[in-house]
Structure formats: C-alpha cells, structure tokens
Amino acid sequence: QVQLVESGGGLVQAGGSLRLSCAASGRTFSNYAMGWFRQAPGKEREFVAGISSGVRRTYYADSVKGRFTISRDNAKNTVYLQMNSLKPEDTADYFCAAARAQLHTIVVEQRGYDYWGQGTQVTVSS
C-alpha cells in the first residue's frame, strides 16, 4: 500500500512559478513509476507528466512541455512538479499517482496507476 500526499499548490499570477511536491509512504517508492495529472473545473482529468523508475525517463503533455519539469528524489520518497510560466489555463486540481510498472517505463494512462493522492489546488490568475 502506498499513500500519497500532495502539497505546494496555491494562487499565482500568470507567468509565475510553483513547485508541487508529492510525498509517498512505503519502502518501495523507487520501484514505482510516478505521474502528475490535473483536473480543471468541468473537465476530465488529464495526464500532465510522468517519470519512470530506474533511469527516470520523463514524458510531458504537449500543453506543458518546456514549462513543467517532473523529478523525483527516491531518498525522500518524493516526486516534484516544477511549474514555470504558468497560464490561467493551468488552473486545476493537481494529483500525483503511483504505478506498479516495469522498470524504466512511463505510464500515461490513468488506468495504469494504482495509487492516487487527494490533490492540491493550483489557481493562476490573469
């Protein structure tokens, strides 16, 4: 069982930055692929970024590529999402998730994830 707790959300002006953190319980964090998703009001939850176990491959949604960076610190059981050049359309609840995936594999589909956090709210004002 893995428990995930997100933090770091808040209100920021367009063009600003935020760093989200997701702290995971358990001793096998390094074995999980991790991902960030978001859900804006009235919209479906969507993939934002993913990072594999092992060599830490990363993958991003086109909408955030070049602006967001996902990273992980296995010693701290934490995955991060650095968000720069934020836009009003980035406003959403952001969720982290953990997947029991093969080594070095990034998981993009929501159904591929086994554990989810409760989310943290990000609001970007124009």
Side-chain angles (χ1 to χ4, degrees):
Q1 189 77 9
V2 175
Q3 292 185 326
L4 303 171
V5 179
E6 302 95 336
S7 61
L11 174 63
V12 63
Q13 287 188 331
S17 298
L18 282 175
R19 188 175 81 154
L20 305 183
S21 300
C22 173
S25 65
R27 295 175 293 176
T28 58
F29 172 78
S30 61
N31 295 341
Y32 287 86
M34 301 297 296
W36 285 97
F37 290 78
R38 68 185 181 186
Q39 186 167 19
K43 294 189 176 181
E44 301 277 329
R45 187 158 55 184
E46 64 176 1
F47 172 82
V48 174
I51 187 166
S52 72
S53 59
V55 297
R56 305 182 190 191
R57 291 175 176 163
T58 59
Y59 184 77
Y60 300 90
D62 287 343
S63 57
V64 306
K65 201 172 295 182
R67 301 188 297 121
F68 290 12
T69 303
I70 187 171
S71 61
R72 65 190 300 163
D73 185 336
N74 289 337
K76 294 182 178 180
N77 279 16
T78 301
V79 63
Y80 304 97
L81 185 68
Q82 177 66 45
M83 306 187 295
N84 298 328
S85 303
L86 282 161
K87 304 176 181 179
E89 51 263 43
D90 294 318
T91 295
D93 291 326
Y94 283 72
F95 301 87
C96 74
R100 290 189 297 259
Q102 288 187 339
L103 191 65
H104 313 313
T105 300
I106 297 169
V107 180
V108 176
E109 296 292 331
Q110 293 185 50
R111 63 189 177 200
Y113 284 88
D114 302 287
Y115 304 102
W116 292 83
Q118 294 298 307
T120 186
Q121 188 173 54
V122 172
T123 302
V124 184
S125 63
S126 58

